[in-house]
Each structure stands twice: as C-alpha cells, then as structure tokens.
Amino acid sequence: MKRNKRLSKAISDFNQTFDYFPNYPDNIDFDQIEFAKELEKCVIDNFDYTIEKYGTIVPKRTGEPTIIYD
C-alpha cells in the first residue's frame, strides 16, 4: 500500500512535535486520510492521542549527563 502525501506530512509533523513516531492502526488496509487527520489533531492539540488508541509507546529519554565537580 502506497502512503499518500497528506499522511507522510502528518507523520513528519508528528515526529517533529513529539520526537518519536506513532504506532499505526492494526489493520493493514486502514484509511490513510482518517489516520492523517488524527495525527494532525495530535500536533495541533500538542497531545498524543495515539498512545491510548494505537498503543504508541513513548521512548524514555536519558538526557544529557550531569557533570559534578568536587
């Protein structure tokens, strides 16, 4: 299945906003336009709705190491 341009842009925007990629719907032949709309809503609201709906797991970040000087 070829990904349409709207979905590609929505995934890119989602990744830039949240710094990780969302999980996709379970069925192989899902409605790409509807999924793109859901991702666009996540970006606009700055809230990841895919965590509950599609089981997206947010990666844990370790961050920069802290240097302690004695």
Side-chain angles (χ1 to χ4, degrees):
M1 173 169 68
K2 185 177 179 187
R3 191 171 12 172
N4 70 27
K5 290 180 182 181
R6 183 173 180 176
L7 180 57
S8 294
K9 180 167 178 3
I11 290 171
S12 176
D13 291 346
F14 183 96
N15 184 25
Q16 288 178 352
T17 302
F18 298 106
D19 201 29
Y20 57 88
F21 289 98
N23 275 5
Y24 285 77
D26 290 332
N27 56 340
I28 293 173
D29 192 25
F30 63 92
D31 186 355
Q32 293 185 9
I33 300 298
E34 281 301 312
F35 186 55
K37 288 179 184 177
E38 291 174 5
L39 295 180
E40 290 166 353
K41 180 173 175 30
C42 291
V43 171
I44 291 169
D45 295 347
N46 198 27
F47 184 81
D48 185 3
Y49 298 106
T50 68
I51 292 172
E52 186 174 317
K53 190 166 186 178
Y54 301 114
T56 299
I57 298 173
V58 179
K60 297 186 190 277
R61 304 276 187 235
T62 56
E64 294 292 321
T66 303
I67 300 174
I68 301 174
Y69 295 99
D70 285 337

